[in-house]
Each structure stands twice: as C-alpha cells, then as structure tokens.
mmCIF file of all heavy atoms in Angstrom:
data_model
loop_
_atom_site.group_PDB
_atom_site.id
_atom_site.type_symbol
_atom_site.label_atom_id
_atom_site.label_comp_id
_atom_site.label_asym_id
_atom_site.label_seq_id
_atom_site.Cartn_x
_atom_site.Cartn_y
_atom_site.Cartn_z
ATOM 1 N N GLY A 1 5.343 -5.218 -5.092
ATOM 2 C CA GLY A 1 4.594 -4.010 -5.414
ATOM 3 C C GLY A 1 4.869 -2.926 -4.398
ATOM 4 O O GLY A 1 5.307 -3.200 -3.282
ATOM 5 N N TRP A 2 4.647 -1.688 -4.801
ATOM 6 C CA TRP A 2 4.731 -0.544 -3.906
ATOM 7 C C TRP A 2 3.395 0.190 -3.902
ATOM 8 O O TRP A 2 2.716 0.269 -4.920
ATOM 9 C CB TRP A 2 5.782 0.454 -4.385
ATOM 10 C CG TRP A 2 7.213 0.138 -4.110
ATOM 11 C CD1 TRP A 2 8.192 -0.109 -5.042
ATOM 12 C CD2 TRP A 2 7.850 0.073 -2.836
ATOM 13 N NE1 TRP A 2 9.392 -0.331 -4.414
ATOM 14 C CE2 TRP A 2 9.215 -0.223 -3.068
ATOM 15 C CE3 TRP A 2 7.405 0.229 -1.515
ATOM 16 C CZ2 TRP A 2 10.136 -0.366 -2.028
ATOM 17 C CZ3 TRP A 2 8.330 0.086 -0.491
ATOM 18 C CH2 TRP A 2 9.679 -0.203 -0.744
ATOM 19 N N THR A 3 3.059 0.779 -2.771
ATOM 20 C CA THR A 3 1.989 1.758 -2.777
ATOM 21 C C THR A 3 2.476 2.996 -3.514
ATOM 22 O O THR A 3 3.660 3.319 -3.498
ATOM 23 C CB THR A 3 1.566 2.157 -1.349
ATOM 24 O OG1 THR A 3 2.709 2.641 -0.633
ATOM 25 C CG2 THR A 3 0.952 0.998 -0.603
ATOM 26 N N ILE A 4 1.567 3.676 -4.177
ATOM 27 C CA ILE A 4 1.875 4.932 -4.861
ATOM 28 C C ILE A 4 1.435 6.063 -3.949
ATOM 29 O O ILE A 4 0.245 6.217 -3.675
ATOM 30 C CB ILE A 4 1.158 5.019 -6.216
ATOM 31 C CG1 ILE A 4 1.565 3.847 -7.117
ATOM 32 C CG2 ILE A 4 1.456 6.345 -6.895
ATOM 33 C CD1 ILE A 4 0.770 3.758 -8.404
ATOM 34 N N THR A 5 2.384 6.836 -3.474
ATOM 35 C CA THR A 5 2.078 7.879 -2.500
ATOM 36 C C THR A 5 1.445 9.092 -3.164
ATOM 37 O O THR A 5 1.574 9.306 -4.371
ATOM 38 C CB THR A 5 3.348 8.306 -1.755
ATOM 39 O OG1 THR A 5 4.296 8.778 -2.711
ATOM 40 C CG2 THR A 5 3.944 7.130 -0.996
ATOM 41 N N GLN A 6 0.772 9.917 -2.358
ATOM 42 C CA GLN A 6 0.099 11.097 -2.893
ATOM 43 C C GLN A 6 1.104 12.130 -3.373
ATOM 44 O O GLN A 6 0.857 12.830 -4.343
ATOM 45 C CB GLN A 6 -0.835 11.694 -1.832
ATOM 46 C CG GLN A 6 -1.889 10.733 -1.334
ATOM 47 C CD GLN A 6 -2.629 10.066 -2.480
ATOM 48 O OE1 GLN A 6 -3.080 10.752 -3.400
ATOM 49 N NE2 GLN A 6 -2.755 8.754 -2.440
ATOM 50 N N ASP A 7 2.225 12.252 -2.692
ATOM 51 C CA ASP A 7 3.293 13.121 -3.157
ATOM 52 C C ASP A 7 4.278 12.272 -3.957
ATOM 53 O O ASP A 7 4.603 11.144 -3.559
ATOM 54 C CB ASP A 7 4.009 13.780 -1.982
ATOM 55 C CG ASP A 7 5.036 14.810 -2.431
ATOM 56 O OD1 ASP A 7 6.172 14.408 -2.750
ATOM 57 O OD2 ASP A 7 4.683 15.999 -2.474
ATOM 58 N N PRO A 8 4.796 12.780 -5.072
ATOM 59 C CA PRO A 8 5.637 11.944 -5.937
ATOM 60 C C PRO A 8 7.075 11.794 -5.486
ATOM 61 O O PRO A 8 7.886 11.241 -6.249
ATOM 62 C CB PRO A 8 5.561 12.680 -7.283
ATOM 63 C CG PRO A 8 5.336 14.107 -6.924
ATOM 64 C CD PRO A 8 4.444 14.060 -5.717
ATOM 65 N N ASP A 9 7.421 12.229 -4.287
ATOM 66 C CA ASP A 9 8.787 12.076 -3.792
ATOM 67 C C ASP A 9 9.085 10.592 -3.570
ATOM 68 O O ASP A 9 8.514 9.959 -2.676
ATOM 69 C CB ASP A 9 8.957 12.859 -2.494
ATOM 70 C CG ASP A 9 10.377 12.792 -1.944
ATOM 71 O OD1 ASP A 9 11.248 12.196 -2.605
ATOM 72 O OD2 ASP A 9 10.601 13.337 -0.853
ATOM 73 N N ILE A 10 9.987 10.035 -4.377
ATOM 74 C CA ILE A 10 10.338 8.614 -4.288
ATOM 75 C C ILE A 10 11.804 8.434 -3.878
ATOM 76 O O ILE A 10 12.429 7.429 -4.178
ATOM 77 C CB ILE A 10 10.041 7.890 -5.619
ATOM 78 C CG1 ILE A 10 10.682 8.632 -6.800
ATOM 79 C CG2 ILE A 10 8.536 7.734 -5.814
ATOM 80 C CD1 ILE A 10 10.515 7.935 -8.141
ATOM 81 N N PHE A 11 12.317 9.421 -3.162
ATOM 82 C CA PHE A 11 13.699 9.418 -2.690
ATOM 83 C C PHE A 11 14.034 8.139 -1.936
ATOM 84 O O PHE A 11 15.079 7.515 -2.155
ATOM 85 C CB PHE A 11 13.900 10.643 -1.792
ATOM 86 C CG PHE A 11 15.295 10.834 -1.259
ATOM 87 C CD1 PHE A 11 16.154 11.757 -1.840
ATOM 88 C CD2 PHE A 11 15.740 10.133 -0.147
ATOM 89 C CE1 PHE A 11 17.435 11.958 -1.341
ATOM 90 C CE2 PHE A 11 17.024 10.316 0.356
ATOM 91 C CZ PHE A 11 17.869 11.234 -0.241
ATOM 92 N N ALA A 12 13.158 7.717 -1.024
ATOM 93 C CA ALA A 12 13.468 6.601 -0.127
ATOM 94 C C ALA A 12 13.645 5.285 -0.871
ATOM 95 O O ALA A 12 14.329 4.384 -0.377
ATOM 96 C CB ALA A 12 12.369 6.455 0.929
ATOM 97 N N VAL A 13 13.057 5.161 -2.051
ATOM 98 C CA VAL A 13 13.150 3.913 -2.813
ATOM 99 C C VAL A 13 14.257 3.964 -3.865
ATOM 100 O O VAL A 13 14.882 2.947 -4.153
ATOM 101 C CB VAL A 13 11.800 3.590 -3.477
ATOM 102 C CG1 VAL A 13 11.912 2.390 -4.403
ATOM 103 C CG2 VAL A 13 10.732 3.341 -2.416
ATOM 104 N N TRP A 14 14.566 5.158 -4.391
ATOM 105 C CA TRP A 14 15.428 5.229 -5.565
ATOM 106 C C TRP A 14 16.750 5.956 -5.359
ATOM 107 O O TRP A 14 17.646 5.825 -6.190
ATOM 108 C CB TRP A 14 14.664 5.886 -6.719
ATOM 109 C CG TRP A 14 13.544 5.036 -7.208
ATOM 110 C CD1 TRP A 14 12.210 5.224 -6.997
ATOM 111 C CD2 TRP A 14 13.646 3.840 -7.978
ATOM 112 N NE1 TRP A 14 11.480 4.230 -7.589
ATOM 113 C CE2 TRP A 14 12.343 3.361 -8.207
ATOM 114 C CE3 TRP A 14 14.719 3.121 -8.502
ATOM 115 C CZ2 TRP A 14 12.078 2.210 -8.934
ATOM 116 C CZ3 TRP A 14 14.469 1.972 -9.224
ATOM 117 C CH2 TRP A 14 13.162 1.533 -9.439
ATOM 118 N N HIS A 15 16.892 6.733 -4.300
ATOM 119 C CA HIS A 15 18.145 7.477 -4.112
ATOM 120 C C HIS A 15 19.269 6.526 -3.705
ATOM 121 O O HIS A 15 19.061 5.565 -2.959
ATOM 122 C CB HIS A 15 17.964 8.561 -3.045
ATOM 123 C CG HIS A 15 19.045 9.588 -3.040
ATOM 124 N ND1 HIS A 15 20.222 9.416 -2.333
ATOM 125 C CD2 HIS A 15 19.156 10.790 -3.661
ATOM 126 C CE1 HIS A 15 20.993 10.472 -2.514
ATOM 127 N NE2 HIS A 15 20.375 11.314 -3.315
ATOM 128 N N SER A 16 20.471 6.806 -4.187
ATOM 129 C CA SER A 16 21.624 5.936 -3.902
ATOM 130 C C SER A 16 21.886 5.786 -2.412
ATOM 131 O O SER A 16 22.341 4.727 -1.959
ATOM 132 C CB SER A 16 22.875 6.488 -4.588
ATOM 133 O OG SER A 16 22.714 6.539 -5.983
ATOM 134 N N SER A 17 21.602 6.828 -1.639
ATOM 135 C CA SER A 17 21.863 6.780 -0.198
ATOM 136 C C SER A 17 21.010 5.751 0.515
ATOM 137 O O SER A 17 21.319 5.351 1.644
ATOM 138 C CB SER A 17 21.630 8.155 0.430
ATOM 139 O OG SER A 17 20.255 8.526 0.332
ATOM 140 N N GLN A 18 19.934 5.310 -0.139
ATOM 141 C CA GLN A 18 19.028 4.352 0.486
ATOM 142 C C GLN A 18 19.360 2.904 0.118
ATOM 143 O O GLN A 18 18.674 1.974 0.546
ATOM 144 C CB GLN A 18 17.579 4.662 0.083
ATOM 145 C CG GLN A 18 17.162 6.097 0.360
ATOM 146 C CD GLN A 18 17.344 6.487 1.807
ATOM 147 O OE1 GLN A 18 16.749 5.882 2.707
ATOM 148 N NE2 GLN A 18 18.163 7.493 2.062
ATOM 149 N N ALA A 19 20.416 2.718 -0.667
ATOM 150 C CA ALA A 19 20.852 1.366 -1.049
ATOM 151 C C ALA A 19 21.792 0.810 0.012
ATOM 152 O O ALA A 19 22.963 0.535 -0.224
ATOM 153 C CB ALA A 19 21.528 1.401 -2.410
ATOM 154 N N VAL A 20 21.245 0.652 1.214
ATOM 155 C CA VAL A 20 22.003 0.192 2.377
ATOM 156 C C VAL A 20 21.205 -0.913 3.064
ATOM 157 O O VAL A 20 19.995 -1.055 2.831
ATOM 158 C CB VAL A 20 22.255 1.352 3.366
ATOM 159 C CG1 VAL A 20 23.137 2.420 2.734
ATOM 160 C CG2 VAL A 20 20.926 1.977 3.836
ATOM 161 N N PRO A 21 21.845 -1.727 3.896
ATOM 162 C CA PRO A 21 21.086 -2.762 4.616
ATOM 163 C C PRO A 21 19.904 -2.146 5.377
ATOM 164 O O PRO A 21 20.071 -1.178 6.116
ATOM 165 C CB PRO A 21 22.124 -3.349 5.571
ATOM 166 C CG PRO A 21 23.431 -3.133 4.877
ATOM 167 C CD PRO A 21 23.300 -1.814 4.182
ATOM 168 N N GLY A 22 18.733 -2.696 5.169
ATOM 169 C CA GLY A 22 17.527 -2.172 5.798
ATOM 170 C C GLY A 22 16.890 -1.034 5.037
ATOM 171 O O GLY A 22 15.799 -0.591 5.381
ATOM 172 N N GLY A 23 17.554 -0.529 3.979
ATOM 173 C CA GLY A 23 16.988 0.553 3.189
ATOM 174 C C GLY A 23 15.945 0.052 2.212
ATOM 175 O O GLY A 23 15.892 -1.137 1.875
ATOM 176 N N LEU A 24 15.124 0.969 1.707
ATOM 177 C CA LEU A 24 14.060 0.581 0.786
ATOM 178 C C LEU A 24 14.563 0.432 -0.647
ATOM 179 O O LEU A 24 13.876 -0.147 -1.489
ATOM 180 C CB LEU A 24 12.920 1.603 0.846
ATOM 181 C CG LEU A 24 12.274 1.781 2.231
ATOM 182 C CD1 LEU A 24 11.085 2.735 2.139
ATOM 183 C CD2 LEU A 24 11.848 0.455 2.829
ATOM 184 N N ASN A 25 15.759 0.914 -0.928
ATOM 185 C CA ASN A 25 16.375 0.691 -2.238
ATOM 186 C C ASN A 25 17.111 -0.647 -2.189
ATOM 187 O O ASN A 25 18.334 -0.728 -2.301
ATOM 188 C CB ASN A 25 17.334 1.837 -2.565
ATOM 189 C CG ASN A 25 17.923 1.747 -3.960
ATOM 190 O OD1 ASN A 25 17.723 0.769 -4.681
ATOM 191 N ND2 ASN A 25 18.687 2.759 -4.343
ATOM 192 N N PHE A 26 16.348 -1.726 -2.030
ATOM 193 C CA PHE A 26 16.952 -3.035 -1.797
ATOM 194 C C PHE A 26 17.489 -3.688 -3.068
ATOM 195 O O PHE A 26 18.124 -4.737 -3.003
ATOM 196 C CB PHE A 26 15.968 -3.983 -1.103
ATOM 197 C CG PHE A 26 14.605 -4.056 -1.732
ATOM 198 C CD1 PHE A 26 14.398 -4.751 -2.899
ATOM 199 C CD2 PHE A 26 13.523 -3.427 -1.136
ATOM 200 C CE1 PHE A 26 13.148 -4.811 -3.489
ATOM 201 C CE2 PHE A 26 12.264 -3.486 -1.713
ATOM 202 C CZ PHE A 26 12.076 -4.183 -2.896
ATOM 203 N N ILE A 27 17.241 -3.075 -4.247
ATOM 204 C CA ILE A 27 17.840 -3.601 -5.476
ATOM 205 C C ILE A 27 19.217 -2.984 -5.717
ATOM 206 O O ILE A 27 19.914 -3.365 -6.653
ATOM 207 C CB ILE A 27 16.943 -3.370 -6.705
ATOM 208 C CG1 ILE A 27 16.787 -1.876 -7.006
ATOM 209 C CG2 ILE A 27 15.585 -4.052 -6.527
ATOM 210 C CD1 ILE A 27 16.172 -1.591 -8.357
#
C-alpha cells in the first residue's frame, strides 16, 4: 500500500527516472 499524499504529484512512484535501485518505482 501507499499513503495518498495531499498533493497529487506522484512523480517519485511512477516516473521512469525513479525505476532505479533504491527508487520508489520498484516495479
């Protein structure tokens, strides 16, 4: 599960740049 943040910016979880070791886009 994820917390739903007050601002809808979900860059850290879904942007391609975050699909790196230790990144939040772990899928």
Side-chain angles (χ1 to χ4, degrees):
W2 281 116
T3 56
I4 301 173
T5 59
Q6 302 310 311
D7 186 276
D9 182 4
I10 52 176
F11 182 101
V13 173
W14 292 106
H15 195 274
S16 299
S17 65
Q18 306 304 300
V20 296
L24 301 185
N25 185 354
F26 49 76
I27 65 168

